[in-house]
Amino acid sequence: MRKWSSLLLTLMLLAVPLVGCSRFYAQGSAASASSLLDRVKNRGKLVCGVSGELPGFSYVNQQGEYSGLDVDVCRAIAAALFDDPDAVDYRNLNAKERFTAVQAGEVDILSRNTTWTISRDTSVGLEFAPTVFYDGQGMMVKKASGIKNLKDLEGSSVCVQTGTTTEQNLADQMRKLGVKYTPIVFEDVNAAFATYEEGRCDGMTADRSALVARRSVLKNPDEHILLEELLSKEPLAPAVINGDARWFDTVKWVIFGLIEAEELGINSQNIDSFTNTDNSVVKRLLGTEGNLGQGLGLPNDFVARAVRKVGNYGEIYNRNLGPGTPFNLPRGQNEIWTKGGLLYAPPFR
């Protein structure tokens, strides 16, 4: 009897991990089958959540045409998936509704000047792709006000958009400096800037890139200055829903591909000259050697598609924010690492 009991116990111990293992693979298979990547590919279009109101990042003109760095990120992903950068439906989202739209599956990707924070990465249920713009929070004031720094804002009012990190950063910095102020908060960013322009706020705070972009469309841009002080660091990155590794990998590696292409000197104009290169690094990136795309569920030339149709990261930056644009923002931290910046792509190997 003791012998049979021991045998039964042994079989049970062996069976438990096998059952667990089967469940693991079953779950993995189901997760794989239900990836958003498959649904996007079957739909034939990417649904991209943007601001639609921030020149240089995502802005829609009177003809209904979208442009900006955040928009080009979506266009690059569409080009990688469909070889068509225009296979994108855009959804304008304000700061309050943007995360719910991702959680509810209303958008496939949020590409909307959103700061990567630990709480958004964990509690909110997002996964952040590589940072596409390193920013910092700034303060805009009227030149005639005589305000030179944050301490000069003692007893003043500051316009800020609620539901953003800027509202929290402002409170932290002013508390640190011992400056008393009155925050005037808005859900709608247009209302915030309009109130500031009307003179009902002494200062307007947002990401410095947003302040520069918005200043360009004020009635008299030269009457407004940005204080030199930074209130925070703001790594702006696209985000997708948590728990879908295949879709997250797709978004992540398309963006890395744009950065790697710039580092290797491959752009939309010269990409065809690399067709017969014997450089294995370039060949793997462009999909003429190896099968790196296959591992993602994409064509092996997915990076080549994005670069050829939309450009590498540097082209995207210059087209939307660089010299020749109304913003003329220096690359600074947004240079690739070989030129002293923070942009870096892991190896395509």
Side-chain angles (χ1 to χ4, degrees):
M1 183 65 184
R2 180 176 298 173
K3 181 178 178 181
W4 281 106
S5 298
S6 298
L7 179 60
L8 180 60
L9 177 62
T10 300
L11 290 173
M12 288 176 65
L13 290 173
L14 287 172
V16 168
L18 288 174
V19 170
C21 190
S22 300
R23 185 178 299 142
F24 171 82
Y25 284 114
Q27 289 174 341
S29 178
S32 177
S34 63
S35 173
L36 186 54
L37 172 61
D38 298 319
R39 297 198 292 279
V40 172
K41 287 165 66 175
N42 290 335
R43 188 195 305 135
K45 274 200 169 184
L46 178 73
V47 181
C48 178
V50 297
S51 164
E53 297 178 333
L54 186 59
F57 286 86
S58 63
Y59 189 74
V60 55
N61 63 20
Q62 293 182 339
Q63 289 71 46
E65 299 164 334
Y66 283 80
S67 64
L69 185 145
D70 290 338
V71 167
D72 276 347
V73 167
C74 294
R75 297 179 73 244
I77 295 169
L81 292 173
F82 310 115
D83 205 19
D84 179 5
D86 296 324
V88 184
D89 280 340
Y90 298 99
R91 301 277 193 275
N92 291 1
L93 302 169
N94 65 31
K96 186 177 180 180
E97 63 195 8
R98 54 184 164 171
F99 301 137
T100 304
V102 178
Q103 294 162 342
E106 296 172 9
V107 297
D108 304 320
I109 177 173
L110 180 67
S111 187
R112 186 199 178 282
N113 57 299
T114 297
T115 302
W116 182 354
T117 72
I118 183 173
S119 59
R120 291 171 176 173
D121 203 350
T122 55
S123 305
V124 179
L126 302 179
E127 288 283 8
F128 283 86
T131 297
V132 297
F133 192 89
Y134 288 94
D135 209 343
Q137 185 175 336
M139 180 73 71
M140 183 164 63
V141 298
K142 290 186 171 61
K143 189 184 296 184
S145 69
I147 296 171
K148 303 296 184 185
N149 53 53
L150 293 176
K151 287 187 175 180
D152 290 341
L153 284 165
E154 174 69 35
S156 66
S157 59
V158 178
C159 281
V160 60
Q161 192 177 11
T162 191
T164 65
T165 54
T166 55
E167 184 181 6
Q168 301 158 3
N169 295 333
L170 175 65
D172 289 346
Q173 283 295 323
M174 292 308 209
R175 188 184 305 113
K176 181 179 176 182
L177 294 171
V179 175
K180 294 181 180 178
Y181 73 104
T182 302
I184 310 296
V185 300
F186 299 87
E187 284 189 5
D188 181 68
V189 66
N190 292 324
F193 276 91
T195 302
Y196 162 77
E197 190 170 23
E198 291 166 1
R200 290 189 283 154
C201 293
D202 301 299
M204 175 71 213
T205 187
D207 293 346
R208 282 181 68 87
S209 60
L211 293 176
V212 170
R214 282 285 183 162
R215 182 174 60 177
S216 70
V217 295
L218 295 180
K219 291 177 183 175
N220 298 296
D222 293 338
E223 293 181 359
H224 307 269
I225 60 171
L226 270 63
L227 302 184
E228 293 186 1
E229 296 159 286
L230 282 180
L231 285 74
S232 67
K233 55 184 177 184
E234 304 289 334
L236 308 182
V240 297
I241 190 134
N242 197 17
D244 190 337
R246 289 180 64 209
W247 180 235
F248 177 48
D249 283 346
T250 297
V251 172
K252 180 171 58 179
W253 284 100
V254 170
I255 294 171
F256 279 143
L258 302 177
I259 295 170
E260 182 79 349
E262 181 181 11
E263 181 179 333
L264 295 173
I266 305 167
N267 60 46
S268 61
Q269 301 303 306
N270 67 13
I271 188 170
D272 291 332
S273 68
F274 289 87
T275 302
N276 297 318
T277 182
D278 57 1
N279 185 327
S280 293
V281 175
V282 172
K283 292 168 74 173
R284 285 195 297 271
L285 180 70
L286 300 183
T288 56
E289 179 179 294
N291 55 1
L292 295 178
Q294 183 180 327
L296 291 167
L298 300 178
N300 287 327
D301 65 342
F302 71 99
V303 173
R305 289 178 168 195
V307 173
R308 183 175 284 109
K309 297 293 177 62
V310 183
N312 65 32
Y313 178 86
E315 289 179 281
I316 291 172
Y317 185 99
N318 288 332
R319 178 164 62 240
N320 296 297
L321 301 169
T325 71
F327 319 112
N328 191 22
L329 287 178
R331 288 282 295 268
Q333 295 175 320
N334 294 296
E335 278 282 9
I336 56 175
W337 70 288
T338 52
K339 294 182 179 179
L342 297 176
L343 296 184
Y344 184 102
F348 277 70
R349 179 177 291 279

